[in-house]
């Protein structure tokens, strides 16, 4: 439910984005005229590489990654997707596009999406739960953790443990009716990014040099970043600063303060977890 709400708090599609999204969807017949809403795609965990990133021989078609362009690609039961499918996601996550090469043609489809993945902490789903004990054995845990690690996980910036919620609280309208307010805050934060970096360069898309040019760390924040330098990869450190930059933008702050770095770190690796965040 949370994942489905995300397109609703993102800014409306710009006209160039609306045209790009509509063109991709027209190739598979799912578009109806000019699409104005950000796409939300949620492929099943049995999806093939072809279904996820596109393919075909005589007629090359875009996959879910491209149909989610400018929107959200939601992968529920992330640990159940085939390893080859998860591997195939690395190119679009890195480059924002998919290249499909065949003897007759080479086709590029846009694929700049927000990836949201959800997964149980273990195959039985109760690892760490206060309600029921986990019934998985060590072998099952190890296999599951292997799937949740490696280069793809390193590209995921934010990792949040979600506990089983009290149904009354989930249905509470005071809690659920906040999307409009959140969207205003996101639109303002994106506006700040565009002013600083230009319309095509959101924080998530900055490379190392661009990030250094615009990150604006205070001395305390720089010290906070340095304190984590030894426990993450350089990609992880870049990702930490991008998330901190975004939190500062959401707060309307010009510079990144130490508190923004601390929050970005907690979102990367929730308290009490000594692994790569949130999966155990
Ligand atoms: Zn379990």
């Amino acid at each position: 439910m949370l994942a489905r709400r995300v397109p609703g708090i993102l800014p409306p599609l710009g006209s160039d984005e609306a045209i790009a999204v509509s063109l991709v969807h027209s190739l598979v017949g799912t578009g109806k005229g000019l699409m104005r809403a950000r796409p939300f795609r949620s492929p099943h965990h049995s999806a093939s590489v072809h279904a996820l990133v596109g393919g075909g021989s005589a007629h090359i078609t875009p996959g879910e990654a491209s149909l989610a362009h400018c929107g959200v690609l939601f992968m529920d039961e992330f640990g159940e997707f085939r390893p080859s499918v998860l591997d195939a996601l690395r190119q679009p996550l890195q480059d924002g596009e998919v290249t499909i090469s065949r003897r007759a043609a080479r086709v590029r489809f846009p694929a700049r999406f927000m990836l949201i993945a959800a997964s149980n902490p273990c195959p039985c789903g109760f690892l760490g739960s206060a309600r029921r004990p986990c019934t998985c054995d060590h072998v099952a845990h190890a296999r599951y953790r292997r799937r949740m690690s490696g280069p793809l996980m390193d590209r995921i910036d934010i990792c949040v443990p979600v506990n089983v919620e009290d149904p009354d609280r989930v249905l509470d309208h005071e809690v659920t009716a906040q999307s409009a307010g959140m969207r205003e805050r996101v639109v303002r934060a994106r506006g700040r990014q565009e002013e600083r970096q230009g319309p095509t360069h959101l924080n998530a898309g900055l490379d190392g040099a661009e990030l250094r040019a615009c990150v604006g760390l205070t001395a305390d924040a720089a010290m906070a970043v340095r304190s984590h330098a030894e426990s993450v990869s350089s990609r992880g450190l870049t990702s930490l600063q991008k998330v901190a930059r975004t939190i500062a933008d959401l707060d309307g702050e010009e510079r990144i303060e130490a508190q923004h770095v601390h929050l970005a770190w907690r979102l990367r690796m929730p308290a009490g977890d000594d692994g790569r965040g949130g999966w155990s």
Side-chain angles (χ1 to χ4, degrees):
M1 191 191 81
L2 285 170
R4 284 185 187 279
R5 295 298 175 271
V6 171
I9 64 167
L10 294 175
L13 282 178
S15 31
D16 287 353
E17 288 179 317
I19 291 169
V21 170
S22 307
L23 281 174
V24 174
H25 281 255
S26 72
L27 293 172
V28 293
T30 54
K32 293 184 189 77
L34 189 63
M35 293 178 64
R36 288 286 180 193
R38 289 194 183 269
F40 178 88
R41 306 292 299 188
S42 61
H44 189 258
H45 62 74
S46 63
S48 63
V49 170
H50 177 160
L52 210 76
V53 295
S57 45
H59 184 53
I60 298 174
T61 50
E64 293 291 338
S66 294
L67 295 171
H69 181 57
C70 295
V72 170
L73 180 68
F74 176 49
M75 297 173 74
D76 199 6
E77 302 186 50
F78 196 53
E80 303 296 330
F81 279 83
R82 279 173 236 172
S84 56
V85 169
L86 298 181
D87 248 10
L89 272 181
R90 281 164 59 184
Q91 192 209 353
L93 281 175
Q94 176 77 30
D95 306 331
E97 61 180 33
V98 172
T99 307
I100 299 166
S101 298
R102 296 288 181 268
R103 209 178 321 161
R106 189 179 150 89
V107 178
R108 286 189 305 148
F109 292 119
R112 203 164 12 82
F113 52 84
M114 179 188 287
L115 172 68
I116 302 182
S119 174
N120 278 326
C122 67
C124 85
F126 290 99
L127 185 68
S129 164
R131 295 152 62 101
R132 267 167 72 172
C134 162
T135 55
C136 308
D137 61 26
H138 287 307
V139 180
H141 275 169
R143 198 185 312 123
Y144 205 70
R145 282 202 74 105
R146 262 201 306 280
R147 286 191 167 195
M148 294 294 178
S149 60
L152 185 61
M153 285 304 295
D154 206 33
R155 286 172 165 80
I156 292 179
D157 295 325
I158 295 177
C159 205
V160 186
V162 181
N163 295 320
V164 178
E165 261 302 352
D166 178 353
D168 290 339
R169 191 162 172 269
V170 173
L171 294 172
D172 183 346
H173 289 286
E174 273 184 47
V175 175
T176 56
Q178 293 176 351
S179 285
M182 281 189 190
R183 185 183 224 181
E184 274 174 31
R185 216 172 142 205
V186 172
V187 168
R188 281 200 297 273
R190 284 229 175 163
R192 274 182 208 105
Q193 294 173 40
E194 284 183 14
E195 241 169 64
R196 192 173 55 229
Q197 294 140 218
T200 53
H201 276 65
L202 296 175
N203 293 346
L206 298 177
D207 64 25
E210 291 167 332
L211 186 67
R212 274 191 295 282
C214 71
V215 78
L217 293 162
T218 62
D220 284 352
M223 209 189 313
V225 170
R226 272 198 295 277
S227 72
H228 297 302
E230 283 187 2
S231 39
V232 284
S233 63
S234 63
R235 187 196 295 279
L237 209 59
T238 302
S239 145
L240 177 73
Q241 291 176 77
K242 286 181 193 179
V243 175
R245 180 64 266 174
T246 300
I247 296 168
D249 286 335
L250 285 167
D251 274 358
E253 299 284 351
E254 197 101 335
R255 310 281 307 272
I256 300 177
E257 310 278 347
Q259 76 213 34
H260 303 133
V261 177
H262 295 321
L263 178 54
W265 180 254
R266 283 208 302 282
L267 289 172
R268 181 175 175 78
M269 195 177 292
D273 186 4
D274 55 2
R276 173 58 185 86
W279 302 104
S280 65

